[in-house]
Amino acid sequence: MELKTLALNAFAQNKQAALLIGGAGVAFLALGLGYKYLRKPEKLVRVGVVSQLLIHPLKSGRAVSVPVAECLQIGLKFGELQDRHWLVVTEEGHMVTGRQQPRLVLLSLTCEDGHACLSGPDMEELRFPVNQPDNSVIDCRIFGADIQGRDCGEETSRWLIRFLGKEQTFRLVHFEPQMRGRQSQDTQPLLPHFEVAYPDEAPVMLLSEASVQDLSSRLEEGVTAKRFRPNIVISDCEAFAEDSWVDIQIGSVRLHRVKSCGRCVFTTVDPETGVISRKEPLDTLKSYRLCKPSDQHIYKKSPLFGQLLVVKQTGILQVGDVVYKISR
């Protein structure tokens, strides 16, 4: 009898536990279904059209305008060209940009059939293999962060020294697929995790034509979008409308705003002459595009122009694509 009683008690306890577990499962399921159906559906609102897609293979070099591009987690790609995957560095591995060497904006880097081509004013074109596995890997520094780059060889180094005309050694490095990207130095909390190759901060930068036109109307000499080095240029919207776009969809691509783009002295380099003025259009931007006092810990005294984005869903971008703001 004792054995039978123990068995019955054990059965009753297991049955009670099963009922409790099942009840909890039903409650969680109901909660999940309730969230699914009570959550507001996404709404796509047309906000503009893609007018330009620009890839900057060489950091601080000339942009390449393309009709279509892959939008990857690490930035835009067109064929063998990837945005900001080539970098000029010093002998010690420190980055060199148009801030220090304005004439870099006159350099073009293109890729075709496994070879890269460097060209610039009054220079013979230099072709060299994209993949040079026997060359050394250099430890580089970008805004204090470590990142690697494959050295592109002595001939490329001599070519850069002749072009820049300085008594200093410069080297060209290439970010390869197996190399680890660097994390953005942005210290804002709750930002999505992302990595970049050689861009300043984020994989993608977006700017509207209307914002550029608004700035040009305040200047003695107008400027173009290329001076500000965006990847995606948007038309058919009002000036600075992009400031309010948190999540956008272009084709199948989804992008999320990280922050506004704080501007520096590099904007005063004329992309057609390689001459730096250190004044305009930066001074004018500072007159009306500074951040709110509550955001000064992020942007300090830098004026805001354009938006920095991360890629939430990869895909293909095309000039002429409609841009939608995602809202709920």
Side-chain angles (χ1 to χ4, degrees):
M1 289 294 293
E2 292 181 359
L3 184 62
K4 182 178 179 181
T5 300
L6 288 172
L8 288 171
N9 288 340
F11 175 77
Q13 290 173 2
N14 289 338
K15 183 177 180 182
Q16 186 177 18
L19 288 171
L20 287 171
I21 293 171
V26 171
F28 278 117
L29 180 61
L31 185 64
L33 289 173
Y35 175 75
K36 178 180 178 181
Y37 290 106
L38 290 176
R39 183 181 60 176
K40 290 183 179 180
E42 287 185 349
K43 183 180 179 182
L44 298 181
V45 180
R46 185 186 187 278
V47 291
V49 176
V50 176
S51 60
Q52 294 184 69
L53 293 171
L54 301 170
I55 293 178
H56 306 80
L58 172 66
K59 186 174 180 68
S60 290
R62 282 194 184 278
V64 178
S65 180
V66 298
V68 61
E70 295 179 71
C71 188
L72 307 176
Q73 294 287 349
I74 204 164
L76 268 57
K77 179 182 180 183
F78 177 76
E80 298 177 67
L81 293 177
Q82 286 192 258
D83 191 67
R84 294 167 173 95
H85 270 49
W86 305 80
L87 173 70
V88 177
V89 296
T90 65
E91 191 72 16
E92 295 76 28
H94 295 289
M95 72 169 182
V96 178
T97 71
R99 301 169 184 89
Q100 303 88 29
Q101 299 292 339
R103 278 172 53 79
L104 278 177
V105 302
L106 304 177
L107 282 187
S108 293
L109 191 149
T110 57
C111 295
E112 187 176 3
D113 298 329
H115 281 76
C117 178
L118 267 177
S119 61
D122 303 318
M123 296 288 293
E124 290 187 10
E125 290 187 350
L126 177 67
R127 287 174 56 85
F128 55 94
V130 171
N131 297 315
Q132 301 187 68
D134 294 333
N135 287 7
S136 61
V137 172
I138 296 177
D139 292 322
C140 307
R141 299 281 288 176
I142 296 182
F143 297 113
D146 295 325
I147 190 167
Q148 293 183 322
R150 178 78 66 179
D151 183 55
C152 295
E154 295 300 329
E155 187 177 5
T156 304
S157 176
R158 290 191 293 269
W159 192 96
L160 286 172
I161 294 169
R162 288 197 303 272
F163 177 75
L164 295 173
K166 304 290 182 180
E167 294 181 0
Q168 185 179 356
T169 299
F170 299 102
R171 308 199 72 84
L172 183 68
V173 297
H174 178 217
F175 184 82
E176 297 179 332
Q178 77 279 5
M179 294 176 178
R180 183 175 180 177
R182 76 182 209 284
Q183 293 187 21
S184 169
Q185 294 305 292
D186 198 303
T187 56
Q188 293 184 76
L190 304 179
L191 285 181
H193 171 79
F194 62 94
E195 292 185 346
V196 292
Y198 301 143
D200 283 2
E201 293 185 275
V204 177
M205 204 275 274
L206 177 146
L207 181 63
S208 74
E209 289 182 355
S211 299
V212 178
Q213 290 165 2
D214 181 272
L215 172 60
S216 287
S217 70
R218 303 166 188 260
L219 299 170
E220 290 186 9
E221 294 185 15
V223 292
T224 66
K226 286 187 176 182
R227 180 178 289 243
F228 304 97
R229 314 184 68 75
N231 299 114
I232 304 173
V233 181
I234 306 299
S235 63
D236 200 21
C237 67
E238 294 183 358
F240 308 111
E242 64 269 30
D243 293 357
S244 64
W245 303 342
V246 178
D247 290 285
I248 62 172
Q249 180 167 325
I250 307 173
S252 62
V253 174
R254 290 199 166 198
L255 301 163
H256 176 75
R257 176 186 180 274
V258 176
K259 58 181 288 194
S260 297
C261 185
R263 294 302 180 167
C264 68
V265 71
F266 194 12
T267 60
T268 71
V269 177
D270 187 327
E272 302 304 321
T273 65
V275 175
I276 187 169
S277 72
R278 300 192 179 275
K279 291 188 176 296
E280 293 293 3
L282 190 60
D283 286 351
T284 297
L285 281 173
K286 286 180 178 179
S287 72
Y288 78 115
R289 288 293 296 171
L290 293 178
C291 68
K292 299 179 294 184
S294 59
D295 289 337
Q296 283 185 355
H297 67 289
I298 301 171
Y299 302 109
K300 299 180 175 59
K301 298 296 184 180
S302 298
L304 310 181
F305 201 66
Q307 300 299 317
L308 299 173
L309 311 171
V310 292
V311 183
K312 294 183 70 176
Q313 183 170 300
T314 61
I316 303 298
L317 298 173
Q318 296 186 65
V319 171
D321 278 348
V322 175
V323 182
Y324 295 96
K325 179 175 70 173
I326 303 171
S327 61
R328 285 191 173 90

